[in-house]
Amino acid sequence: MFSRKPFPLCSLLLLALILGACKDKPTAAAATVLLRVDNRTVTLEDFKRDFAKSLPANQQLAAEERSELERSYLVQTIDRQLALAEGQKLGVTVTPQELETALEEHRRDYPAGGFEQSLLERNITIEQWRQELEERLIMEKVARQVVYTRVDVTDKEVDAYFRDNRQEFDRPAQVRARQIVVSSETEGERLLGLLRQGSSFEALAKEFSLSPDADDGGDLGFFGRGEMPAEFDATVFNLAVGRLSPLIKSEYGYHIFRVDEKREAVRLTLEQVRGEIRDKLRAEKEETAYEKWLQELRSRASIDVKWSLL
C-alpha cells in the first residue's frame, strides 16, 4: 500500500552508519588493530562486527560494493572518534532524561514492538543501542557548542535567496487526507458502512488499515497533485472537506479516503517564508562548518589506518 512515510529501517540504518559501536575498551593482546586515532584504537574484529550491524538484515552485497561501503564506514568511524574525543575534553555529557526522551522519539517511528524487532533482526541489544544513541547525542551537543554557535544568517542573505529562487514559493493547491487500506473489497465495503454510520475514521484506520500510516489514524499529511498515484489525486482533489470517498481500488489494495483540510494555491511573500529560508540557509551553513571543523580535527590528530586489512 502507498504511504508517504519513510520506511522506519532507514532511520535505524542512518543512525548505525553515523555511530558504529567502536568503544574505548581493552582488547586482547593478540587483537589486530585496524585504526588508531590518537590514543583511541579500533580492532579489526570490532569494526567488522559493527559494520555488519550497520547493514540491513540479510542484505547481500557484491565484494566490490561491500569493500566500498566498509571504507566509507571507516572514514565515518574516524570522524566519530575525533568528535567524541572533543566532547570528552569539553566535559560534554548526556543526562538519563535526555537519553530516554531521544529513545522514545525513535520508538515513535515504528509500530508497536517494531523497534525492538528491528534491533533483534540486526543482532543489536537495547543496551548497545542506548550506548550508541548516547554517543550520538554527545556529538550533537559538541557540534552545537563548538560549531553551530559560529553560524549566522543575515537578512541580506535571506532576501537574496528569495529573489533568486522565487519559483520555490509558488505553492500549488494541497489537501490533507486520511486513508484506510484493506486487502479485499468485502472488507472495504464493511468498513465504509461503519464509517457512514458514524464510526471514528481514525480508530478504524488504527485497527484495520494495512498502511504504515495506520498508527497515525491514516493521516497522509498535506500533498499536492502528482505526489500520489493518479487514482488518489482523482479522488481526493474532487472530494469536499469531511466527506468520505467511495471504495477506490489500486495496486496497493482497496482505499477509503477522507479529506480533512484543503489549501488553495498561493504565491507566498518574503515575510511569509523568511523563517523557512533562514532555517534552510542555516542548515546548509552548519553542514559546511561541521565538515570544516572535522577537517581541522583530522589535520591535528595522529591517525593510523591499516587499509590493507579491509
Side-chain angles (χ1 to χ4, degrees):
M1 71 293 303
F2 189 89
S3 173
R4 298 174 69 237
K5 287 189 172 184
F7 190 63
L9 277 178
C10 291
S11 58
L12 185 61
L13 174 59
L14 179 59
L15 178 64
L17 284 174
I18 295 175
L19 300 176
C22 306
K23 311 294 188 293
D24 275 333
K25 59 184 179 181
T27 57
T32 301
V33 174
L34 172 66
L35 167 67
R36 294 183 188 275
V37 181
D38 290 331
N39 62 342
R40 294 169 173 253
T41 61
V42 177
T43 68
L44 179 63
E45 179 185 7
D46 284 347
F47 177 81
K48 290 287 188 179
R49 182 193 63 239
D50 298 330
F51 171 70
K53 289 179 180 179
S54 77
L55 301 173
N58 303 317
Q59 181 176 12
Q60 300 297 318
L61 295 173
E64 184 177 349
E65 182 181 8
R66 185 180 185 87
S67 177
E68 183 178 345
L69 287 175
E70 279 186 331
R71 288 172 176 269
S72 176
Y73 186 83
L74 184 54
V75 170
Q76 293 174 48
T77 299
I78 293 170
D79 290 344
R80 172 177 162 274
Q81 293 292 327
L82 290 169
L84 289 174
E86 286 299 299
Q88 188 174 25
K89 291 178 185 177
L90 295 170
V92 175
T93 60
V94 174
T95 67
Q97 182 58 49
E98 288 173 328
L99 185 59
E100 286 305 313
T101 298
L103 179 59
E104 288 307 312
E105 288 177 355
H106 282 283
R107 272 203 174 102
R108 284 198 290 269
D109 289 335
Y110 296 81
F115 174 72
E116 289 75 11
Q117 181 61 33
S118 293
L119 295 184
L120 183 63
E121 291 173 355
R122 307 172 70 78
N123 195 30
I124 300 173
T125 67
I126 187 65
E127 291 76 17
Q128 289 173 325
W129 201 87
R130 281 176 182 272
Q131 177 65 29
E132 293 170 358
L133 179 59
E134 181 178 8
E135 292 181 352
R136 180 188 181 192
L137 294 175
I138 289 173
M139 292 169 65
E140 290 175 350
K141 281 190 172 185
V142 172
R144 287 197 300 270
Q145 181 175 333
V146 178
V147 182
Y148 300 157
T149 53
R150 296 181 289 180
V151 171
D152 186 38
V153 177
T154 67
D155 287 341
K156 185 177 181 180
E157 289 172 319
V158 172
D159 294 347
Y161 185 90
F162 181 81
R163 183 178 62 251
D164 296 340
N165 300 275
R166 186 67 183 85
Q167 71 283 355
E168 285 186 24
F169 307 103
D170 294 337
R171 301 290 165 83
Q174 293 182 313
V175 298
R176 182 179 183 180
R178 294 179 184 270
Q179 69 169 344
I180 295 174
V181 186
V182 293
S183 59
S184 72
E185 184 175 6
T186 300
E187 177 71 350
E189 292 292 354
R190 183 182 75 83
L191 295 179
L192 189 56
L194 292 175
L195 291 169
R196 287 170 175 164
Q197 293 170 21
S199 294
S200 165
F201 194 104
E202 291 85 344
L204 291 183
K206 289 181 179 181
E207 185 173 357
F208 297 106
S209 182
L210 302 177
S211 181
D213 48 63
D215 285 345
D216 294 326
D219 189 3
L220 292 167
F222 280 98
F223 56 92
R225 291 184 183 274
E227 296 181 40
M228 294 288 189
E231 55 264 48
F232 288 29
D233 285 358
T235 299
V236 298
F237 281 95
N238 293 303
L239 200 62
V241 172
R243 298 294 298 274
L244 295 171
S245 74
L247 199 61
I248 305 297
K249 188 178 186 305
S250 80
E251 61 180 300
Y252 308 104
Y254 292 84
H255 304 251
I256 304 169
F257 294 101
R258 187 187 75 194
V259 172
D260 287 352
E261 191 175 347
K262 289 190 174 184
R263 289 175 177 169
E264 298 297 328
V266 63
R267 187 174 177 83
L268 298 174
T269 67
L270 172 58
E271 292 312 310
Q272 287 176 305
V273 296
R274 183 176 291 279
E276 178 182 333
I277 295 174
R278 190 179 300 277
D279 290 344
K280 174 184 174 65
L281 295 180
R282 174 174 289 278
E284 292 174 353
K285 283 190 171 186
E286 286 177 350
E287 182 177 355
T288 300
Y290 187 75
E291 179 56 35
K292 182 179 179 180
W293 175 67
L294 285 176
Q295 290 176 355
E296 293 172 356
L297 293 182
R298 294 178 200 129
S299 68
R300 298 199 303 263
S302 173
I303 302 172
D304 180 27
V305 182
K306 292 184 171 59
W307 293 103
S308 61
L309 295 176
L310 295 182

